[in-house]
Amino acid sequence: MALVALLYAHHFSAGADEPLAALGITGIASVDRQIRQCRRAGAERVVVMVERVTPRLAAALDRARRATPGVEVVHGGDGVRAAIREEDSVLSLDEGLVADERAIAAVAWATGDVVLGVWMEADERPIAAERIASDRFFAGLARFPGRLVRSVAGRLGDWDMQATLVRSALGEGPHTPVEVGRIPAYCPSRRREVPLQWRRAVDAASADAATNDALAAAQKGILDWPARFIHPPIENLLTRLLLPTPLTPNMISVGVFLLGLAAMAAFALGHLWIGLILALIIGPLDGVDGKLARTRVEFSKWGDLEHVADKVVEYGWFAALAYYFNSIGHGGAWPLAAICVGFALAEAVQGEFFRRFTGKQIDDAGAFERRFRLVAGRRNTFFWSLLPFAAFGAWYAGFAMIAAYSAITFFVMQARFFVRLQEYGSENSDQIAANFAKTAYTFLPDSAGNAK
């Protein structure tokens, strides 16, 4: 059974020359954004039902088909019937609906033949919705069996496809409701609670509001203090400027990497102020590619390489500083660089193991880790902390400070690593919990604080 997305581009608002699907949201047409969301949710193909292809809609669909394989544009019910197979499972979104990616995934993969995204009576509904039962409203997002879609498409006439599908599904029997208003706000990939994004773009104002929502949702939580307090306004401004441009997140990543190499060269040649200024500028620039990708729903398989490039740049800066300091007579520069790189790398490997083992990032494992991340040694905090040393010309002392900072961060997180690993193992394995209980030291207090 294949998951196929069915999207619509045939509703025109009063006095509009283009359908709602062509409205620009996050720099692309709303139907293009829906296509990207559905593909990320697992749709193998996307069928877009159109009535009249206008110039802006044609350009948007051409761009979508070039960027996303498996997009088919059809006309009317007959076109839908020809494109959908009986055995398909069809994910359907209202035209102009800017839905949250978590809700799309929940509806796409919920159990049941017919799945309807719903707002419950008690929910604070962000958009107008049609009542489908005494206690619920249709949220504009559903999944139908291919046989039902083909049946409705064959007798559609002038009726609205999505509304007719919903009524037909309700008339056939029970459905699985997905209460979109109850989807947990906590988003592990953002390391924070992210309010549900849910708007219907019907004009320029609502489309701009949807863009603002998407940009706000792209902000990550649990950050070091420069990334939390200094970078976001700069990142948001640059991301908004880049949204309507053809620049991709990967292009931004490459540009930032090249700028990082320039900073490395400046450090190695002794142009320390130039190197430091470039390093501080790179801080907010480094967040733009991720925000652009999350806001525009534009991801690629090469995106994870950006993290590798970040490490290459950071460790390269340490090596470049050591090269320069050694050249002017500081014999301990290379050992300091080894400390910086060694502990930073060890902490990164430790964190990656924890993420792969537990499914959570260690920085987000608990209240202590979240607070400590604010001041922990990271590229941003390292080079912002170097700034006051540089102001007094104490560059080498600042370099030694970074080495100490890196070591302290590692040992603190090493201790938390073992604590959180024990907790995770004990919660998920009775055998591990029993082993810790049997091997506990008698002079230490138990979990209730009582001496043994």
Side-chain angles (χ1 to χ4, degrees):
M1 181 178 66
L3 180 66
V4 179
L6 177 58
L7 307 176
Y8 310 96
H10 54 59
H11 292 101
F12 290 74
S13 57
D17 296 326
E18 297 282 347
L20 302 182
L23 279 170
I25 298 172
T26 67
I28 56 178
S30 69
V31 69
D32 191 356
R33 196 169 194 275
Q34 287 184 337
I35 289 169
R36 299 178 186 196
Q37 288 184 309
C38 291
R39 290 305 297 266
R40 279 187 63 78
E44 297 178 15
R45 295 185 295 121
V46 179
V47 176
V48 182
M49 177 182 172
V50 302
E51 179 180 294
R52 176 166 59 90
V53 179
T54 60
R56 187 187 301 172
L57 178 61
L61 292 174
D62 285 344
R63 174 179 173 177
R65 282 182 288 197
R66 288 195 303 270
T68 311
V71 177
E72 183 178 355
V73 179
V74 302
H75 291 262
D78 291 340
V80 171
R81 183 176 173 80
I84 302 295
R85 298 186 293 260
E86 292 273 340
E87 64 273 17
D88 287 337
S89 183
V90 182
L91 179 65
S92 181
L93 278 69
D94 277 354
E95 184 174 357
L97 179 66
V98 185
D100 194 284
E101 60 193 29
R102 293 164 290 184
I104 295 175
V107 170
W109 298 108
T111 56
D113 203 23
V114 174
V115 181
L116 299 181
V118 299
W119 297 106
M120 302 306 291
E121 179 73 43
D123 293 337
E124 183 178 342
R125 295 180 296 281
I127 58 176
E130 179 184 0
R131 184 183 290 274
I132 58 173
S134 60
D135 63 342
R136 65 193 62 172
F137 298 78
F138 179 53
L141 173 64
R143 202 186 79 228
F144 306 105
R147 57 173 176 76
L148 176 64
V149 175
R150 285 174 54 83
S151 172
V152 169
R155 53 184 168 81
L156 182 63
D158 293 330
W159 295 95
D160 180 86
M161 184 73 177
Q162 176 84 314
T164 307
L165 280 170
V166 173
R167 292 189 183 94
S168 299
L170 292 172
E172 280 199 357
H175 65 275
T176 301
V178 171
E179 301 177 17
V180 296
R182 313 292 169 85
I183 290 175
Y186 187 80
C187 184
S189 64
R190 313 284 166 84
R191 303 190 296 265
R192 68 181 182 94
E193 290 191 351
V194 179
L196 195 74
Q197 299 172 73
W198 210 275
R199 285 186 184 268
R200 183 170 285 117
V202 296
D203 53 27
S206 54
D208 189 57
T211 297
N212 291 336
D213 289 347
L215 187 55
Q219 178 64 52
K220 284 190 173 183
I222 319 300
L223 299 165
D224 53 59
W225 65 265
R228 181 172 175 180
F229 299 115
I230 298 174
H231 297 173
I234 304 171
E235 293 171 352
N236 290 344
L237 175 62
L238 293 175
T239 302
R240 180 171 282 281
L241 291 173
L242 291 171
L243 282 174
T245 73
L247 291 177
T248 67
N250 285 345
M251 292 177 184
I252 305 301
S253 297
V254 171
V256 172
F257 178 68
L258 294 177
L259 201 59
L261 295 182
M264 191 187 308
F267 283 136
L269 295 172
H271 304 301
L272 302 184
W273 272 112
I274 293 175
L276 180 56
I277 290 170
L278 286 175
L280 298 182
I281 290 173
I282 285 170
L285 293 182
D286 193 43
V288 171
D289 52 358
K291 276 192 174 177
L292 188 63
R294 292 187 291 275
T295 304
R296 227 197 245 162
V297 197
E298 188 172 10
F299 300 91
S300 79
K301 62 182 180 180
W302 306 108
D304 285 341
L305 288 179
E306 187 259 344
H307 302 296
V308 176
D310 283 348
K311 295 302 180 186
V312 169
V313 166
E314 179 183 339
Y315 302 156
W317 289 350
F318 296 144
L321 284 168
Y323 173 83
Y324 170 70
F325 288 133
N326 184 73
S327 70
I328 61 172
H330 292 289
W334 285 113
L336 287 177
I339 290 172
C340 293
V341 173
F343 282 118
L345 182 60
E347 205 240 324
V349 170
Q350 177 177 269
E352 179 62 11
F353 176 83
F354 188 87
R355 184 185 72 84
R356 297 290 300 275
F357 191 80
T358 68
K360 290 185 66 175
Q361 296 190 33
I362 193 168
D363 292 330
D364 198 21
F368 176 88
E369 290 81 3
R370 295 187 192 103
R371 288 192 293 267
F372 184 70
R373 173 60 189 267
L374 198 64
V375 296
R378 293 290 188 277
R379 188 172 68 181
N380 289 328
T381 49
F382 285 149
F383 286 91
W384 274 96
S385 298
L386 180 60
L387 190 58
F389 288 86
F392 290 97
W395 289 94
Y396 187 70
F399 189 47
M401 173 276 301
I402 291 176
Y405 202 166
S406 182
I408 292 169
T409 295
F410 170 77
F411 285 117
V412 171
M413 293 309 297
Q414 175 84 358
R416 301 310 299 175
F417 172 80
F418 289 123
V419 169
R420 296 303 181 186
L421 211 59
Q422 175 190 344
E423 291 176 351
Y424 180 83
S426 298
E427 289 170 1
N428 290 276
S429 168
D430 292 338
Q431 183 61 56
I432 292 176
N435 289 344
F436 273 108
K438 286 188 298 183
T439 58
Y441 296 105
T442 57
F443 62 85
L444 294 176
D446 60 22
S447 59
N450 302 312
K452 297 179 181 180

